[in-house]
Amino acid sequence: MRPMASSWTPSAAASGPARAYRAAHDQHLAELRAALKEAGYARSEKALARHREQNKLTAAERLGRLLDPGSPFLEIGGLAARGMYEGGVHKAGSLAGIGVIEGRTCVVQANDAMVKGGTIYPMGVKKALRLQAISMENRLPFVSLVDSGGAYLPLQSEVFPDLDDGGRIFYNQARMSKMGIPQLCAVMGLCTAGAAYIPAMSDEVVHVRGTGAIFLAGPPLVRAATGEDVTSEDLGGAAMHTSVSGVSDYLAEDDAEAIDLLRRRVACLPSNGARPARPARPPLHDPDQLYDIVPPEPHVPYDIREVIARVVDASEFEEFKPNYGPTLICGWAWIHGYLVGILGNNGPLFSECALKATHFIELCDKRGIPLVFLQNVPGFVVGRAFERGGITKHGQQMVAAVSTCTVPKFTVMVGGSFGAGNYAMCGRAYSPRFLWTWPNAQISVMGGEQAARVLIDVQNAQRARAGLGPIGAEEEQMILGPVRENTRVEGSAFHSTANLWDDGIIEPHRTRDVLGLSIAAAMHAPLRDGPQGFGLFRM
């Protein structure tokens, strides 16, 4: 590796626009930090008091005791369900992510019983399935801290029956077991109805006396169905399940002992993970400068090399085909000691960009080098000349290469992500191992102005066929305003993360470390997730 080409020099970040950029980024960061604070701490005094009465730790306290002191924690879905269900379903009901337990990297999920009693909402199911996908893709042990009242019954039709609803969690547990992925569970509260299968399908189960309860139907339903009067502890408590049914394996007197037992069980797992190929080196250029250099609005152009220089080790980047298809940057670099191939946008995707990307992806796949996509893409270029030049078939080649390459992929949306550019640059539908967004990111089929103009053109065409004149200026504005606003709201990073279209919004200056943790997590699995090779490329 060598420093970036001498023909390009990173910005010093001291100009007038830099101050305006930083001010706008500061607003985005303030909104992000306020939202994360609310999601983490907005709990009622009544719920906290109830926890303390039962001698229970909070979800955050449980996780703090479970993870190795001082170790990094990569949260997943920190703003999931934000603004949904009339508010209050913080983090979709669970605190979850990737952490280190006894030196082993694990996926961890802790139900938060102070959020709606730990009941499971539709986004809670989606988050659980995403965590299981991360565990399976990266071969990471899965550790569950269960304290849940089961499905939220008023929305049961959105939680229970479909392919990607609650039953899929248990289907995945069986598949994970077949794959040899360890699954450990601590029952620290209610574990009711279908959720009883979570411990039942885990490898090892720790059960807390007095608060942990596993049963297919709780005492009220048993009473209504059979007339039998039974307590929760007698029906599904720790003593019964560890000594009579055998569902649970270890009895704990309280949360602290349960977590200690869990840590001891994790310590008995085989060590996992591949070490970096070489020592990490910090970038030569300060990541904090991103706030001065990167425009907060995606329609303002800048050089994606500015981001690369503040993400990769020693700011060294070996560029591939630097003079061909210049609106797509490709090349090799190291991130926290791991060799990666990077693709980043400097404008729309032309045919040359698609061909260059396809070639580069094939090279990385043949050599077993993971791929990092830095998305700020307005889409593929359009027009008569570009269609005649084959932009559709060239774009298909890039999309096919992204779809079928077998090495781990990682995506960060650092600006706009529009139309088919989202697909070609490895959006969520193309299964990156992790996908992160910056607070200023925008994700939609097209920009609000373009979408509104398309609608007006369609209506004018309809009116012309009916023999009517075009829409007047006042009516045009009535159409433009709502479409622009809807695109702004639904295209924001906060809307994306609430719907779990990403794994979380990250602060731009932390991109290097988040990518480093993501890549390290992926190194626990075999490098390839299927047979190597590509499909048909239309000539």
Side-chain angles (χ1 to χ4, degrees):
M1 292 291 166
R2 57 184 171 81
M4 295 191 172
S6 58
S7 59
W8 181 85
T9 304
S11 298
S15 64
R19 288 187 287 274
Y21 291 170
R22 181 172 284 270
H25 283 299
D26 284 345
Q27 286 187 319
H28 287 305
L29 291 177
E31 183 181 2
L32 173 60
R33 290 165 182 169
L36 288 170
K37 182 177 180 181
E38 179 186 21
Y41 297 102
R43 308 290 185 271
S44 71
E45 290 296 327
K46 181 179 178 181
L48 181 58
R50 174 66 174 159
H51 246 56
R52 298 309 187 209
E53 286 171 11
Q54 295 178 296
N55 195 32
K56 291 164 65 173
L57 300 172
T58 67
E61 290 169 340
R62 288 168 175 170
L63 214 57
R65 287 174 176 255
L66 179 66
L67 301 176
D68 290 354
S71 63
F73 177 65
L74 191 60
E75 185 173 10
I76 303 294
L79 294 178
R82 179 175 182 258
M84 298 180 181
Y85 316 118
E86 300 181 351
V89 186
H90 304 299
K91 300 180 184 289
S94 69
L95 178 57
I98 299 173
V100 180
I101 306 171
E102 291 290 338
R104 290 149 181 84
T105 302
C106 303
V107 175
V108 295
Q109 181 174 28
N111 296 120
D112 191 340
M114 292 197 296
V115 174
K116 309 295 184 181
T119 50
I120 308 299
Y121 283 70
M123 289 306 297
V125 172
K126 186 172 183 179
K127 183 171 178 176
L129 294 175
R130 173 59 187 149
L131 293 164
Q132 288 182 318
I134 290 171
S135 173
M136 288 187 281
E137 287 175 339
N138 302 294
R139 304 298 195 275
L140 298 175
F142 200 108
V143 179
S144 302
L145 307 181
V146 183
D147 190 351
S148 170
Y152 180 66
L153 293 180
L155 296 177
Q156 63 87 25
S157 65
E158 299 177 45
V159 172
F160 171 68
D162 208 351
L163 175 69
D164 56 354
D165 285 340
R168 193 71 175 187
I169 295 172
F170 317 126
Y171 171 88
N172 284 345
Q173 282 193 267
R175 292 177 61 220
M176 289 161 69
S177 183
K178 182 178 179 180
M179 294 167 68
I181 297 172
Q183 298 174 74
L184 306 177
C185 174
V187 178
M188 312 176 91
L190 291 177
C191 195
T192 309
Y197 290 116
I198 293 176
M201 300 184 77
S202 294
D203 298 1
E204 298 180 76
V205 179
V206 178
H207 200 147
V208 180
R209 188 198 300 272
T211 56
I214 305 170
F215 31 61
L216 295 180
L221 185 55
V222 169
R223 190 178 304 112
T226 69
E228 184 180 10
D229 199 2
V230 63
T231 66
S232 290
E233 193 67 14
D234 190 35
L235 181 65
M240 190 281 291
H241 276 308
T242 55
S243 63
V244 179
S245 75
V247 170
S248 303
D249 305 304
Y250 310 99
L251 188 150
E253 296 297 332
D254 56 24
D255 284 3
E257 184 181 2
I259 291 169
D260 181 61
L261 284 168
L262 263 187
R263 285 182 54 82
R264 286 157 55 187
R265 303 320 306 147
V266 173
C268 292
L269 299 177
S271 59
N272 58 7
R275 295 186 179 277
R278 73 180 196 181
R281 290 185 289 169
L284 294 179
H285 304 283
D286 186 355
D288 186 70
Q289 293 175 342
L290 289 170
Y291 301 114
D292 300 319
I293 294 167
V294 177
E297 296 294 335
H299 64 270
V300 180
Y302 72 96
D303 198 321
I304 196 66
R305 295 182 189 89
E306 299 281 11
V307 177
I308 295 171
R310 291 159 179 85
V311 168
V312 303
D313 289 7
S315 298
E316 292 180 348
F317 181 62
E318 189 71 32
E319 192 165 344
F320 175 70
K321 287 185 180 290
N323 300 319
Y324 184 76
T327 58
L328 182 73
I329 304 301
C330 301
W332 293 276
W334 302 77
I335 298 178
H336 278 284
Y338 294 102
L339 178 63
V340 296
I342 298 177
L343 298 91
N345 304 111
N346 265 351
L349 294 168
F350 293 81
S351 283
E352 294 84 356
C353 300
L355 293 170
K356 172 179 169 177
T358 302
H359 186 178
F360 182 71
I361 291 168
E362 287 177 323
L363 285 176
C364 289
D365 198 54
K366 292 290 184 185
R367 298 171 183 174
I369 300 172
L371 292 163
V372 173
F373 295 81
L374 301 176
Q375 278 202 16
N376 183 27
V377 57
F380 282 92
V381 69
V382 297
R384 180 175 181 272
F386 301 111
E387 291 294 351
R388 292 170 68 88
I391 185 67
T392 298
K393 69 178 180 182
H394 296 144
Q396 172 267 332
Q397 292 174 8
M398 181 176 177
V399 169
V402 171
S403 302
T404 57
C405 70
T406 59
V407 294
K409 299 170 290 190
F410 309 88
T411 301
V412 184
M413 293 182 177
V414 302
S417 178
F418 297 112
N422 171 283
Y423 302 160
M425 289 296 292
C426 200
R428 185 63 123 185
Y430 291 78
S431 296
R433 293 290 180 93
F434 296 93
L435 189 154
W436 308 99
T437 60
W438 283 6
N440 59 302
Q442 296 178 21
I443 308 100
S444 59
V445 172
M446 63 182 73
E449 187 68 28
Q450 293 88 340
R453 291 294 172 189
V454 167
L455 288 176
I456 289 171
D457 287 347
V458 169
Q459 291 198 26
N460 280 336
Q462 293 172 343
R463 291 171 67 91
R465 287 194 294 271
L468 301 174
I471 294 171
E474 185 175 344
E475 187 178 355
E476 185 175 297
Q477 288 305 313
M478 291 176 65
I479 295 172
L480 287 173
V483 173
R484 286 171 180 152
E485 178 60 17
N486 185 65
T487 303
R488 184 190 68 81
V489 172
E490 294 191 353
S492 75
F494 290 90
H495 185 80
S496 169
T497 206
N499 284 278
L500 283 170
W501 298 342
D502 57 44
D503 292 312
I505 302 176
I506 62 174
E507 299 184 4
H509 72 278
R510 295 191 61 238
T511 302
R512 167 181 166 78
D513 292 337
V514 169
L515 277 175
L517 290 169
S518 302
I519 297 165
M523 293 299 106
H524 295 82
L527 193 60
R528 302 193 183 281
D529 61 3
Q532 191 180 354
F534 294 88
L536 173 69
F537 288 143
R538 290 182 57 85
M539 305 304 291

